[in-house]
Coordinates of all heavy atoms in Angstrom, one line a residue:
S38 N 77.3 54.9 -7.9 CA 77.6 54.2 -9.1 C 76.7 53.0 -9.3 O 76.2 52.6 -10.4 CB 79.1 53.7 -9.1 OG 79.3 52.9 -8.0
I44 N 69.7 52.1 -12.7 CA 68.7 52.8 -13.4 C 69.0 52.7 -14.9 O 68.1 52.6 -15.8 CB 68.7 54.3 -13.0 CG1 68.2 54.4 -11.6 CG2 68.0 55.2 -13.9 CD1 68.2 55.7 -11.0
S56 N 70.5 44.8 3.5 CA 71.7 45.3 2.8 C 71.3 46.4 1.9 O 72.0 47.4 1.6 CB 72.4 44.1 2.1 OG 71.5 43.5 1.1
Q60 N 72.3 50.3 1.9 CA 72.9 51.0 0.8 C 72.1 52.3 0.4 O 72.7 53.4 0.2 CB 72.9 50.1 -0.4 CG 73.6 50.7 -1.7 CD 73.7 49.7 -2.8 OE1 72.6 49.1 -3.2 NE2 74.9 49.4 -3.3
W72 N 74.2 69.6 2.5 CA 73.5 70.8 3.0 C 74.0 71.2 4.4 O 73.5 72.1 5.0 CB 72.0 70.5 3.1 CG 71.3 70.6 1.8 CD1 71.0 71.7 1.1 CD2 70.7 69.5 1.0 NE1 70.3 71.4 -0.1 CE2 70.1 70.0 -0.1 CE3 70.7 68.1 1.3 CZ2 69.5 69.2 -1.0 CZ3 70.0 67.3 0.4 CH2 69.4 67.8 -0.8
Y121 N 77.1 70.4 18.0 CA 77.0 70.7 19.5 C 77.9 72.0 19.8 O 77.5 72.8 20.5 CB 77.6 69.6 20.3 CG 77.7 69.8 21.7 CD1 76.7 69.8 22.6 CD2 79.0 70.2 22.2 CE1 76.8 70.0 24.0 CE2 79.1 70.4 23.6 CZ 78.1 70.4 24.5 OH 78.2 70.6 25.8
V139 N 62.1 89.9 1.4 CA 63.3 89.1 1.6 C 63.3 88.5 3.0 O 63.2 89.2 4.0 CB 64.6 89.8 1.3 CG1 65.8 88.9 1.5 CG2 64.5 90.4 -0.1
R161 N 69.0 76.8 32.7 CA 69.6 78.0 32.2 C 68.6 79.0 31.7 O 67.4 78.6 31.5 CB 70.6 77.6 31.1 CG 71.6 76.6 31.5 CD 72.4 76.0 30.4 NE 71.5 75.4 29.5 CZ 71.9 74.8 28.3 NH1 73.1 74.8 28.0 NH2 71.0 74.2 27.6
V165 N 69.9 80.1 25.8 CA 71.2 79.6 26.0 C 71.4 78.3 25.2 O 70.5 77.4 25.3 CB 71.5 79.4 27.5 CG1 72.9 78.8 27.7 CG2 71.4 80.7 28.2
N169 N 65.5 78.1 23.1 CA 65.0 79.3 22.5 C 63.6 79.6 22.9 O 63.2 79.2 24.0 CB 65.1 79.2 21.0 CG 64.1 78.3 20.3 OD1 63.4 77.5 21.0 ND2 64.0 78.3 19.0
Y172 N 59.2 75.8 22.9 CA 59.5 74.5 23.7 C 59.7 73.4 22.7 O 60.4 72.4 23.0 CB 58.4 74.2 24.7 CG 58.5 75.2 25.9 CD1 57.5 76.1 26.1 CD2 59.6 75.2 26.7 CE1 57.5 77.1 27.1 CE2 59.7 76.1 27.8 CZ 58.6 77.0 28.0 OH 58.7 78.0 29.0
W186 N 74.1 60.8 22.5 CA 74.6 60.2 23.7 C 74.6 58.7 23.5 O 75.6 58.0 23.9 CB 73.8 60.6 24.9 CG 73.7 59.7 26.0 CD1 72.6 58.9 26.4 CD2 74.7 59.3 26.9 NE1 72.9 58.1 27.4 CE2 74.2 58.3 27.8 CE3 76.0 59.7 27.2 CZ2 74.9 57.7 28.9 CZ3 76.8 59.1 28.2 CH2 76.2 58.2 29.0
Q191 N 79.2 60.1 25.0 CA 79.8 61.3 25.5 C 78.7 62.1 26.4 O 77.6 62.5 25.9 CB 80.2 62.2 24.4 CG 81.4 61.7 23.6 CD 81.9 62.7 22.6 OE1 82.0 63.9 22.8 NE2 82.3 62.1 21.4
I201 N 67.7 71.1 28.7 CA 66.5 71.4 27.9 C 65.3 70.9 28.7 O 64.3 71.7 28.8 CB 66.6 70.9 26.5 CG1 67.7 71.7 25.7 CG2 65.3 71.1 25.8 CD1 68.0 71.1 24.4
D203 N 65.0 70.5 31.8 CA 64.8 71.4 33.0 C 64.0 72.7 32.6 O 63.1 73.1 33.3 CB 66.1 71.8 33.6 CG 66.8 70.7 34.4 OD1 66.1 69.8 34.7 OD2 68.0 70.8 34.6
V254 N 60.5 59.3 35.0 CA 59.3 58.4 34.8 C 58.0 59.1 35.3 O 57.0 59.0 34.6 CB 59.6 57.0 35.6 CG1 58.3 56.2 35.5 CG2 60.7 56.3 34.9
W263 N 47.7 63.6 31.8 CA 47.1 64.9 31.4 C 46.8 64.9 29.9 O 45.6 65.2 29.5 CB 48.1 66.0 31.6 CG 47.6 67.3 31.1 CD1 46.7 68.2 31.6 CD2 48.0 67.9 29.8 NE1 46.4 69.2 30.8 CE2 47.2 69.1 29.7 CE3 48.9 67.5 28.8 CZ2 47.3 69.9 28.5 CZ3 49.0 68.3 27.7 CH2 48.2 69.5 27.5
M269 N 42.6 65.9 22.9 CA 43.3 66.0 21.6 C 43.3 64.7 20.8 O 43.5 64.8 19.6 CB 44.7 66.5 21.9 CG 44.8 68.0 22.1 SD 46.5 68.7 22.1 CE 47.0 68.3 23.8
L275 N 43.1 59.6 16.4 CA 44.1 60.4 15.8 C 44.3 61.7 16.6 O 43.3 62.1 17.2 CB 43.8 60.8 14.4 CG 43.8 59.6 13.3 CD1 43.3 60.1 12.0 CD2 45.3 59.0 13.2
T293 N 51.0 64.1 10.7 CA 51.6 62.8 10.8 C 52.6 62.9 12.0 O 52.8 61.9 12.7 CB 52.3 62.3 9.6 OG1 53.3 63.3 9.1 CG2 51.3 62.0 8.5
V298 N 55.3 61.3 17.3 CA 55.9 61.6 18.6 C 55.3 60.8 19.7 O 56.0 60.3 20.6 CB 55.9 63.1 18.8 CG1 56.4 63.4 20.2 CG2 56.8 63.8 17.8
A309 N 60.5 52.1 30.1 CA 60.9 52.5 31.4 C 60.1 51.9 32.5 O 60.6 51.8 33.7 CB 60.8 54.1 31.5
Q353 N 59.0 68.0 7.0 CA 59.8 67.2 8.0 C 58.9 66.2 8.7 O 59.3 65.3 9.4 CB 60.3 68.1 9.0 CG 61.5 67.5 9.8 CD 62.7 67.3 9.1 OE1 63.2 68.2 8.4 NE2 63.4 66.1 9.2
D364 N 60.0 52.9 16.7 CA 60.1 52.8 18.2 C 59.1 51.8 18.8 O 59.4 51.0 19.7 CB 60.1 54.1 18.9 CG 61.3 55.0 18.6 OD1 62.4 54.4 18.3 OD2 61.2 56.2 18.8
A382 N 59.3 52.8 2.5 CA 60.8 52.9 2.2 C 60.9 52.5 0.7 O 61.7 53.1 0.0 CB 61.6 52.0 3.1
L390 N 62.7 59.5 -6.2 CA 64.1 59.4 -6.3 C 64.6 60.1 -7.5 O 64.1 59.9 -8.6 CB 64.6 57.9 -6.3 CG 66.1 57.7 -6.6 CD1 66.9 58.1 -5.4 CD2 66.4 56.2 -6.9
C397 N 72.1 60.7 -5.0 CA 70.7 60.3 -5.0 C 69.8 61.2 -4.1 O 70.2 61.4 -2.9 CB 70.5 58.9 -4.6 SG 71.4 58.4 -3.2

Side-chain angles (χ1 to χ4, degrees):
S38 61
I44 291 174
S56 62
Q60 185 176 55
W72 283 284
Y121 174 82
V139 177
R161 301 169 302 178
V165 178
N169 73 348
Y172 290 113
W186 149 255
Q191 295 189 39
I201 292 170
D203 286 343
V254 170
W263 171 81
M269 280 190 280
L275 293 173
T293 54
V298 172
Q353 198 73 47
D364 285 341
L390 171 72
C397 47

